[in-house]
Amino acid sequence: MQVSSVFTIMKDIAETGDIRNAAVVMLNGAAIGQRFDLSRGSWTFGRGIQSDIQLKHESVSRKHARLIVGESSLSVEDLGSTNGTYVDGVNIRACEIRDGQCLKIGRSVMRVIFSDKMDARYHSEICWLGKYDGLTQCLHKRGFIADFERELSRALRYERDLSLITIDIDGLRDINERHGNLVGDAVIVEVARAFECRARRDDFIGRLEGGLFTILTPEICLSKADHVARQLCAIANSLSIPVEGSQVSPYLKYGVSSLSDIARTPQLSDNEVFGDTYAAEPTLLRSPGTKSQSTEEALNLTTRPGEARPDGISELASTLLSLAQRRMRSRKT
């Protein structure tokens, strides 16, 4: 298996099928955002100094792969590398690359893009990097927090529920130490794919760091979010990643939080929703005898028309995320 660096290969196929422009753009690693323009011919990727595009990482072989830019097609060929060459997650020896496909060499990930307006396409790719994680294609931390705060503001405005799930791949460090970072990357990618397959169109999936994922579920209450989290863990825990004749299976733990945590009635406790699982959880419920209040009132977030409240929204987002992480518990199905 492999480690990754990320690239984007950009080209344009005219109506006649001719490739007008081609480029490679790094999507992760130290050279993130760097662009390599490609002309027709053969381009080699590897760790060695003789390579046309040098990838300085131990996961990359000295002569790893060759990219061939033809008149009407682009193809990639593995050069007998130790960790293999992958296209859309499939280990290949040689194949043609189509627009939008991902190429992985070691810990480098690349996406193939065809365009006759190279600068504009390059700009869009850089914008993509500002929001998404190159390894998993999920939202990265900054991109997730931005969407989280926007959805949180909308939920408060229309008085709708919103829940947050945090899921961590427990033991990922042990996997990396025992099998290597390439295997750890493979586990992270497979878990992310499992989440993508299960998520609704309106859900937001983010990777905060390492094996820590967050799933934002608009208009879902706390108990339903807990059910979704259990399903996601069951799906991911059933995965098996082949490693040198053996199998590696992820072990997941999760926690959930919801806007209903902030201004629920005192009669509805965590113990009533989840049994004794959250019985010792520090409460965020309003005190008995207090007047019924909206979520915004409970958080002191009410504002005058046109008045901004970024600090309140950010603080609430941080509270919900911290609560979900504190509630994180092990569950293997």
Side-chain angles (χ1 to χ4, degrees):
M1 294 201 149
Q2 309 169 276
V3 185
S4 43
S5 295
V6 189
F7 291 75
T8 304
I9 302 169
M10 304 182 172
K11 310 179 171 191
D12 169 37
I13 299 182
E15 294 182 0
T16 59
D18 293 336
I19 294 180
R20 297 291 182 84
N21 297 303
V24 174
V25 180
M26 301 293 291
L27 300 183
N28 71 353
I32 185 170
Q34 187 173 354
R35 165 178 156 183
F36 298 91
D37 292 319
L38 304 176
S39 58
R40 290 180 185 173
S42 177
W43 296 79
T44 57
F45 293 80
R47 196 175 72 250
I49 59 175
Q50 300 87 359
S51 301
D52 296 314
I53 298 178
Q54 188 179 15
L55 307 176
K56 298 180 180 180
H57 197 281
E58 60 184 5
S59 65
V60 180
S61 299
R62 291 185 181 277
K63 293 182 179 180
H64 198 111
R66 178 186 295 118
L67 196 64
I68 302 172
V69 182
E71 292 185 359
S72 60
S73 66
L74 183 146
S75 60
V76 63
E77 174 188 1
D78 184 77
L79 300 177
S81 64
T82 301
N83 292 314
T85 300
Y86 291 75
V87 174
D88 283 351
V90 178
N91 195 344
I92 60 94
R93 292 195 176 186
C95 74
E96 185 172 332
I97 299 181
R98 299 189 304 274
D99 182 27
Q101 287 190 302
C102 288
L103 173 64
K104 185 178 180 184
I105 296 176
R107 294 198 79 181
S108 303
V109 184
M110 323 170 190
R111 181 165 33 256
V112 178
I113 300 176
F114 302 136
S115 177
D116 57 349
K117 298 180 180 179
M118 184 59 65
D119 289 340
R121 198 62 182 268
Y122 175 65
H123 175 73
S124 68
E125 202 62 31
I126 295 301
C127 291
W128 184 90
L129 284 174
K131 190 170 183 178
Y132 294 94
D133 171 46
L135 179 63
T136 62
Q137 317 297 304
C138 297
L139 293 162
H140 58 45
K141 184 175 181 178
R142 186 170 61 249
F144 180 83
I145 292 299
D147 284 345
F148 184 16
E149 292 183 356
R150 187 189 67 246
E151 288 298 312
L152 187 54
S153 179
R154 187 179 70 87
L156 291 169
R157 184 182 306 114
Y158 297 107
E159 297 184 355
R160 295 176 180 175
D161 212 340
L162 177 144
S163 294
L164 181 72
I165 302 168
T166 60
I167 299 180
D168 191 30
I169 303 175
D170 202 18
L172 182 62
R173 178 178 297 179
D174 293 335
I175 293 175
N176 288 332
E177 291 177 353
R178 184 174 180 180
H179 302 286
N181 290 332
L182 286 171
V183 176
D185 283 353
V187 171
I188 291 172
V189 169
E190 290 303 317
V191 168
R193 286 178 178 172
F195 292 167
E196 289 284 357
C197 291
R198 173 61 180 80
R200 304 174 305 162
R201 177 181 296 180
D202 294 333
D203 293 341
F204 297 82
I205 302 176
R207 178 187 172 216
L208 298 190
E209 59 182 5
L212 179 61
F213 290 86
T214 54
I215 299 97
L216 185 65
T217 56
E219 301 187 26
I220 284 186
C221 65
L222 187 65
S223 58
K224 288 184 179 180
D226 187 81
H227 178 68
V228 170
R230 291 169 185 262
Q231 288 185 322
L232 292 175
C233 285
I235 294 171
N237 283 331
S238 65
L239 297 173
S240 292
I241 292 85
V243 180
E244 297 177 355
S246 63
Q247 302 284 328
V248 172
S249 297
Y251 184 98
L252 273 60
K253 57 183 180 181
Y254 74 90
V256 296
S257 64
S258 171
L259 271 178
S260 59
D261 279 316
I262 308 299
R264 275 186 284 144
T265 59
Q267 290 78 17
L268 181 59
S269 66
D270 285 333
N271 188 36
E272 291 174 299
V273 177
F274 300 104
D276 61 357
T277 304
Y278 293 155
E281 181 64 32
T283 181
L284 291 178
L285 308 180
R286 57 188 175 87
S287 302
T290 56
K291 183 168 134 184
S292 179
Q293 54 189 336
S294 69
T295 304
E296 293 198 33
E297 290 171 335
L299 292 165
N300 245 346
L301 291 177
T302 51
T303 58
R304 296 187 180 91
E307 181 180 346
R309 56 177 191 200
D311 292 340
I313 292 295
S314 297
E315 182 180 354
L316 176 55
S318 178
T319 298
L320 291 176
L321 184 57
S322 297
L323 179 57
Q325 289 179 300
R326 289 202 304 271
R327 286 175 167 175
M328 195 173 290
R329 62 197 188 279
S330 296
R331 177 175 178 84
K332 188 174 182 179
T333 56

